[in-house]
Amino acid sequence: EFDNQPNNKTTKQQNHQTTKPSNNKTSTLYNIKMKDSVIIVSGGMDSVTLLYDRKDDIALGISFDYGSKHNAKEIPFAALHCQRLGIEHIIIPLGFMNKYFTSSLLEGGEEIPEGHYDDENMKSTVVPFRNGIMLSIAAGVAESRGLKNVLIANHGGDHSIYPDCRPEFINAINEATKAGTYINVNVLAPYTNISKVDIARRGLALGINYDETWSCYKGGDEPCGKCGTCVERIEALEEARKSLNLPTK
């Protein structure tokens, strides 16, 4: 189930009759779809799936280096997939989060707990208001570039533990970014009400190689297979492969 780190005019003669420019929007000019979105892409399976799912809309991928134990494992995969799709990718450092915030997910924090996301101890992995901070920055970058949308890949399985992944939060911050920008930047979170299995199924159908993503919160040389995100990933991919009649690993 797990990942391996990537090695770091023919022109036609005009006739003399004057013709007006065509208003036919099926012309080549009008068929060019303008990319209008920024995506927050960590390098994990959810955001990489959304990257491929909405690649025709995405002008920029943003990864945030906020001092998590697994940033160094995730971010190279975000860069890899953006490069593969011809999408610009940038990394924005958020070192203050590791310095001032408390979470077992961050470098220097307590040990990452093991078990499912619905276990009480997984609350220690919450990085306070992480998505709020990242979405605010991404909205600012989007407005600076004239891009209307910010995409984020939170999903239904995140709701029990992470407040800034819940529908009410996404709705609220979407209203805030629209109200707080001249171009009314939207926050789009199309996976908010679907499961990890649904995401895995979508990604497999898109042909994504999930070995080229990273999930494990511990950030070791190899995934631990025991932390909440590892367990969720293993189970989701197994169920998705079965539902698509694909061989399981």
Side-chain angles (χ1 to χ4, degrees), residues 198-231:
D198 295 323
I199 292 172
R201 190 181 294 117
R202 185 166 301 185
L204 291 170
L206 288 168
I208 296 172
N209 177 9
Y210 282 123
D211 287 344
E212 296 179 330
T213 63
W214 183 271
S215 295
C216 183
Y217 280 168
K218 295 186 179 182
D221 292 336
E222 298 292 334
C224 72
K226 296 179 180 179
C227 68
T229 191
C230 280
V231 173

Side-chain angles (χ1 to χ4, degrees), residues 35-222:
K35 295 189 173 189
D36 61 2
S37 301
V38 170
I39 185 172
I40 297 175
V41 56
S42 67
M45 65 177 289
D46 305 328
S47 63
V48 168
T49 302
L50 185 57
L51 179 71
Y52 280 84
D53 205 0
R54 299 291 291 269
K55 61 183 174 60
D56 293 336
D57 301 324
I58 297 169
L60 177 68
I62 303 177
S63 297
F64 292 98
D65 187 351
Y66 59 97
S68 79
K69 293 173 180 174
H70 62 305
N71 270 159
K73 291 289 189 176
E74 277 191 312
I75 291 176
F77 284 118
L80 172 73
H81 290 288
C82 284
Q83 181 181 37
R84 187 172 288 167
L85 293 172
I87 295 170
E88 181 185 357
H89 176 254
I90 62 173
I91 302 168
I92 298 179
L94 298 177
F96 71 89
M97 294 177 73
N98 187 32
K99 184 175 181 180
Y100 296 111
F101 292 12
T102 299
S103 171
S104 64
L105 201 65
L106 300 174
E107 290 284 356
E110 62 186 73
E111 289 296 311
I112 297 287
E114 297 177 353
H116 286 83
Y117 271 120
D118 55 3
D119 292 343
E120 184 69 20
N121 65 348
M122 288 304 294
K123 287 186 179 179
S124 77
T125 65
V126 172
V127 179
F129 207 63
R130 178 185 65 175
N131 285 349
I133 293 165
M134 294 179 179
L135 285 166
S136 297
I137 295 169
V141 173
E143 180 162 48
S144 296
R145 295 191 176 214
L147 302 171
K148 286 280 294 181
N149 304 310
V150 175
L151 292 161
I152 186 170
N154 60 294
H155 65 87
D158 295 330
H159 298 176
S160 64
I161 303 299
Y162 303 109
D164 57 2
C165 289
R166 296 171 185 163
E168 55 267 36
F169 169 78
I170 295 298
N171 292 337
I173 200 160
N174 178 50
E175 291 303 315
T177 59
K178 286 194 297 183
T181 55
Y182 278 112
I183 65 171
N184 309 123
V185 173
N186 299 289
V187 171
L188 305 180
Y191 296 166
T192 298
N193 295 308
I194 67 173
S195 71
K196 190 86 165 187
V197 176
D198 295 323
I199 292 172
R201 190 181 294 117
R202 185 166 301 185
L204 291 170
L206 288 168
I208 296 172
N209 177 9
Y210 282 123
D211 287 344
E212 296 179 330
T213 63
W214 183 271
S215 295
C216 183
Y217 280 168
K218 295 186 179 182
D221 292 336
E222 298 292 334

